[in-house]
Amino acid sequence: MDQSLERAELLAKSHAIARTFDNIDSVVQFAPDDVVYDIAVPASQLSHILPHIPDGSAVLMQKPMGETLKEARLIRDLCRTKGLTASVNFSLRYSPNNLAISALARAGLLGDLHDLQVQTTTYTPWDLWTFLATAPRVEIMYHSIHYFDLIRSWLGNPNSVYAKTVNDPHTANLAATKTIAILDYGGNMRVFVASSHHHNFGQKHQHSFVQWEGTRGAARISMGLNLDYPMGVPDTAEFAERGCTEDCWQALPVAGANIPDGFIGTMGALQAFVEGSTASLPTHYEDAFQTMALVEALYRSSEQSGEVLQLGD
C-alpha cells in the first residue's frame, strides 16, 4: 500500500504481489487474519495510522516511535488500548556484526565492559528524505537513535545524559545534523556518541563504527551502509585480546549486513513472538518508549547551557 497507487503497483509487479492499495482501510479489509502490519512512514504519521489497525493485530513500526516523547506516549497508549503486539524496527540490534560481538560477550571474551563508543563521520545526502525538510528534529531522532537504542540493549538505561546537537551551514534548512553525547552509567564506564554527516571530503577519513572495550578484550564493528551512502560498503567485525600486539586484531566472519538482515531480524523476532516460539520481544513498543525517553533527555540536555567558563580576575 502506498498513497501513490502507481508506486504500489510498480513494486507489486516486480514481486508478483496480487493486490495493491492506496488507503489503509482497504488494506485492513483484505488482510488475512495472520497478517503483520509493516508500517514504514514518517514518524509523525504513526498516531494517525494505528487507529485504523484492527485490535489485537501484530504491528512492526518503522523508527522512530513518533517525533517527540509526547507522540511516543500517545503511540504507546494506542498500542496498549488496542491490544496490539507491536514492535519498532530498531534493526541495528539484529545487524549480523552486532550479533557476532554479542556472541563474544556471552562467551566471556570481552570480560567486564567499561567503555562503549559510537563514532560516525560520513557524508549523508539528507535530501533523499524530503519529509525531513520540515521535521523539527533530525540527527538524533532519525539516525543516532539507532546508536542510543543499541547502547540501551547492551547497558540498559543511563543515569543521566549530556548532549549537544547542532545544525551545519551546508544544510541550513534542516534541524540539527551533528551530535555529541555522553551517557553517564556511573563507576568507570565511559559511553559516548559522536555523529556528523557532512564530511564531504572523500572517503579516506570517513568512519562509522561501534567499539566495545572490556577487561579481557575489545571489539569493533563498522556500519558500512553509512560509508558511500546509499551504495555502502560491507559491514565488518573485529576482535582483539587485551595486551596483544599491534597487528592482533582478528577479522570475524559477518554473514550479511544491517540491510536487509537487521530488518529481517526485527520482523522475524516479532513473528516468532506472535507464534509463541519465543517468550521475549526485545524491540517491543514498551522498550522502544524507553529509547524515546532517552532521546528526549538528549534533546533537553542540548537545549540547556553547559558549565560557564569562569576566568576570574
Side-chain angles (χ1 to χ4, degrees):
M1 174 258 160
D2 194 289
Q3 286 181 319
S4 167
L5 187 59
E6 184 178 336
R7 261 189 218 169
E9 289 174 341
L10 185 64
L11 184 63
K13 184 178 181 180
S14 66
H15 288 73
I17 296 171
R19 293 184 182 273
T20 56
F21 308 95
D22 62 3
N23 66 86
I24 302 166
D25 293 333
S26 294
V27 171
V28 171
Q29 179 183 352
F30 287 96
D33 293 336
D34 61 349
V35 69
V36 174
Y37 290 95
D38 186 1
I39 307 175
V41 298
S44 61
Q45 299 305 305
L46 285 170
S47 60
H48 302 291
I49 291 173
L50 289 176
H52 294 265
I53 303 300
D55 293 357
S57 296
V59 176
L60 180 63
M61 295 176 278
Q62 182 57 275
K63 60 80 190 165
M65 189 174 147
E67 291 190 322
T68 64
L69 187 60
K70 181 179 179 180
E71 288 184 17
R73 185 173 287 110
L74 174 60
I75 291 166
R76 181 199 64 184
D77 292 347
L78 277 169
C79 291
R80 287 177 175 177
T81 301
K82 294 177 68 62
L84 301 178
T85 303
S87 179
V88 178
N89 186 32
F90 284 124
S91 59
L92 193 55
R93 294 192 185 206
Y94 291 94
S95 186
N97 50 2
N98 177 61
L99 295 179
I101 306 308
S102 298
L104 289 182
R106 289 194 301 272
L109 295 176
L110 299 181
D112 296 326
L113 287 179
H114 57 82
D115 201 284
L116 202 169
Q117 60 177 290
V118 185
Q119 294 196 45
T120 290
T121 298
T122 58
Y123 178 67
T124 300
W126 292 107
D127 57 298
L128 293 177
W129 302 274
T130 54
F131 73 91
L132 291 181
T134 57
R137 295 169 169 178
V138 174
E139 204 287 317
I140 297 176
M141 187 61 75
Y142 281 96
H143 182 86
S144 286
I145 189 171
H146 275 299
Y147 307 151
F148 295 111
D149 182 74
L150 183 72
I151 291 169
R152 284 193 58 252
S153 75
W154 279 82
L155 304 177
N157 292 323
N159 302 323
S160 60
V161 300
Y162 312 82
K164 195 67 179 178
T165 186
V166 299
N167 63 1
D168 186 275
H170 297 93
T171 51
N173 62 312
L174 295 181
T177 53
K178 299 187 292 188
T179 301
I180 185 78
I182 298 171
L183 282 64
D184 178 10
Y185 282 90
N188 60 6
M189 182 72 72
R190 183 187 76 145
V191 181
F192 75 92
V193 173
S195 186
S196 174
H197 301 263
H198 302 278
H199 190 82
N200 194 10
F201 305 97
Q203 295 186 39
K204 180 178 180 181
H205 293 298
Q206 290 190 15
H207 57 258
S208 186
F209 66 84
V210 184
Q211 181 169 293
W212 298 257
E213 293 185 29
T215 53
R216 295 188 60 191
R220 177 185 285 213
I221 63 172
S222 70
M223 294 165 285
L225 180 62
N226 294 337
L227 305 170
D228 191 28
Y229 192 91
M231 300 302 296
V233 299
D235 288 347
T236 64
E238 301 173 87
F239 168 73
E241 295 182 349
R242 174 164 292 280
C244 66
T245 58
E246 180 74 16
D247 298 324
C248 64
W249 281 85
Q250 306 171 42
L252 303 176
V254 177
N258 184 36
I259 298 178
D261 299 281
F263 285 66
I264 293 171
T266 53
M267 177 61 83
L270 175 58
Q271 291 174 323
F273 183 75
V274 170
E275 73 177 10
S277 58
T278 183
S280 65
L281 181 57
T283 54
H284 191 276
Y285 68 83
E286 297 283 4
D287 188 85
F289 180 81
Q290 295 182 47
T291 293
M292 292 296 293
L294 172 54
V295 165
E296 192 75 20
L298 292 162
Y299 277 109
R300 287 199 309 268
S301 176
S302 182
E303 292 168 0
Q304 298 171 4
S305 298
E307 183 68 22
V308 178
L309 181 64
Q310 298 181 0
L311 298 177
D313 298 331

